[in-house]
Amino acid sequence: LLYTIKFEMKYVILFVLVGFAAGLTAEKEAQLAGFKALLQDSGDILATCNIVLFKEKVNYTAAEDNCKSFDIGGGSGVQDGVLATVNDDEKNEDLKALLLQAYPENNGTWAENSWVWAGLKKIVNTEGQGKKKFIPSEWQWSDGTMATADEKKYWRKKQPDQAVEDGLYQNQMRISRDGEWDDTFVNKIHPYACDYQGKYIFSTQLKTWEAAAEMCANASLVLAMVRNEAEVTEFRNAAVSFLGPAEGKVFDPNNWLWLGGTNLGAYTETNDWQWMDGSPVEAGFADMPWFRKNPDFASKKIKIDDKKTKVVQDRLSLSKDEDVGFDDSFYYIERPFACQCPDT
């Protein structure tokens, strides 16, 4: 599990969703297939660029505490995270899809893994007063925003009903594998979801640069851009949290991640590094932290279509080790990679 302060970490990959309505277009179907490819070999965390689902089953109080200790910036150092704010169709569909992906087998309507904790709870009339129906002014999200009348459509039929059992009232909200909301007791055990505000989605799969770029593109994303010192720190912290620390030899492929940078001048031994959007790689750095004497335009001949062809190190990677910087690399090396969240 990914816990940045007081939790034990396991290695995971992340699953990105940009919101899927019930009726999927052919384009969205293809995008979903790309997301599922990124999810291969996943661990105990599934995530969108807005939400992180933890498969661990805990009660509501533990879920709330865990999210407070979760680094919501994916390594940015921002603390005091919150249970997921699922206040629109896109997020509701995302969380539903994540739960189905985490627990694909349907164990019945009321099974623990058929539900996921989200951040909505009752703050007014918490002991059975008032009417047993959804009144937005009585419910608040963990991020401090109030529920709205538009959210009524998500509730199961005749819910919330604020049932009582052994002195406990149903004041917490959970979301089902069908995307329906239900009020329930604080001591129920379910997976949980936190808000996530990081820039990067990481994959543990070892891919060549082209294959990594294609996998990001299939999910309507691009390979990651790390554009300044602050983003270097965020990227590294997140990479270590999600994938584990650098280990072994410096150039062990698992210690490096592909980024979306290419040197268009490599074959003429000039530096013209650009991100996939065409912006210059080094523009945000006063002195870009290259590893050793790189870029060094190293080359070798490899067999392509039964013919020996010269290739130059013209693709960008970054080490998880804080003492090692950027490197120019051969495109055919297989290593983990990161995709960029939209609008970041």
Side-chain angles (χ1 to χ4, degrees):
L1 297 173
L2 162 61
Y3 299 123
T4 57
I5 293 185
K6 56 184 179 182
F7 310 122
E8 181 180 358
M9 179 187 68
K10 294 181 180 179
Y11 303 159
V12 299
I13 72 172
L14 295 182
F15 174 46
V16 191
L17 290 168
V18 184
F20 295 100
L24 295 178
T25 64
E27 181 182 359
K28 290 295 186 183
E29 287 280 11
Q31 187 181 25
L32 180 57
F35 295 147
K36 288 182 177 179
L38 285 175
L39 187 59
Q40 290 177 7
D41 305 320
S42 66
D44 294 325
I45 300 174
L46 308 175
T48 73
C49 286
N50 298 309
I51 298 172
V52 178
L53 183 144
F54 294 83
K55 291 178 65 175
E56 181 190 18
K57 288 175 278 189
V58 298
N59 63 36
Y60 183 89
T61 302
E64 197 170 41
D65 288 343
N66 289 352
C67 285
K68 287 179 181 178
S69 296
F70 173 58
D71 184 339
I72 62 174
S76 64
V78 180
Q79 301 298 328
D80 295 329
V82 294
L83 276 167
T85 306
V86 191
N87 55 0
D88 59 37
D89 290 346
E90 179 179 319
K91 292 180 180 178
N92 202 63
E93 287 295 322
D94 283 3
L95 190 50
K96 168 187 167 182
L98 291 178
L99 183 59
L100 288 171
Q101 193 72 31
Y103 293 100
E105 184 176 349
N106 188 346
N107 295 317
T109 301
W110 305 109
E112 291 175 352
N113 59 10
S114 292
W115 299 86
V116 57
W117 287 122
L120 188 63
K121 63 181 178 182
K122 209 167 193 285
I123 60 169
V124 177
N125 295 329
T126 56
E127 296 183 355
Q129 316 97 313
K131 299 179 180 180
K132 293 188 176 183
K133 65 179 184 179
F134 178 56
I135 301 174
S137 61
E138 295 182 352
W139 292 82
Q140 185 180 51
W141 292 100
S142 294
D143 68 357
T145 59
M146 298 301 298
T148 66
D150 291 341
E151 295 164 8
K152 181 179 180 179
K153 63 184 177 182
Y154 302 124
W155 288 93
R156 288 173 59 89
K157 188 177 180 179
K158 296 183 179 180
Q159 300 298 323
D161 62 358
Q162 204 182 30
V164 60
E165 182 179 286
D166 297 330
L168 290 177
Y169 290 87
Q170 293 183 330
N171 291 322
Q172 290 74 32
M173 186 271 281
R174 58 185 176 179
I175 298 177
S176 76
R177 58 191 288 117
D178 297 317
E180 294 184 322
W181 297 6
D182 179 51
D183 61 336
T184 192
F185 301 107
V186 68
N187 57 357
K188 291 289 184 179
I189 305 296
H190 300 299
Y192 64 98
C194 309
D195 281 343
Y196 175 62
Q197 298 176 10
K199 293 184 177 74
Y200 307 109
I201 298 297
F202 295 87
S203 174
T204 61
Q205 298 178 71
L206 302 182
K207 298 293 180 181
T208 65
W209 190 94
E210 283 89 350
E214 183 177 7
M215 291 192 73
C216 291
N218 287 342
S220 296
L221 303 172
V222 296
L223 275 171
M225 298 180 288
V226 182
R227 297 159 291 197
N228 51 56
E229 291 287 358
E231 289 188 349
V232 168
T233 299
E234 177 177 350
F235 184 91
R236 275 213 181 101
N237 289 344
V240 169
S241 293
F242 292 140
L243 305 179
E247 296 179 336
K249 296 182 179 179
V250 170
F251 282 105
D252 185 311
N254 289 291
N255 291 338
W256 296 81
L257 292 101
W258 284 125
L259 304 178
T262 301
N263 185 6
L264 302 182
Y267 285 83
T268 57
E269 296 193 9
T270 56
N271 282 314
D272 184 14
W273 287 93
Q274 294 184 18
W275 297 116
M276 296 180 75
D277 65 0
S279 60
V281 166
E282 300 189 71
F285 295 92
D287 184 15
M288 188 164 172
W290 289 98
F291 179 55
R292 294 178 178 167
K293 296 181 179 181
N294 291 301
D296 59 4
F297 310 109
S299 65
K300 64 172 57 177
K301 287 188 175 182
I302 63 172
K303 187 172 287 188
I304 301 176
D305 297 329
D306 294 324
K307 180 180 179 181
K308 284 192 174 182
T309 304
K310 178 183 176 180
V311 294
V312 179
Q313 293 182 333
D314 64 349
R315 306 303 163 98
L316 190 65
S317 60
L318 178 62
S319 173
K320 292 185 289 183
D321 189 335
E322 64 180 10
D323 295 323
V324 180
F326 291 91
D327 185 43
D328 55 342
S329 303
F330 293 114
Y331 70 89
Y332 56 79
I333 296 173
E334 294 185 338
R335 54 181 41 142
F337 61 96
C339 305
Q340 188 88 16
C341 283
D343 304 318
T344 62

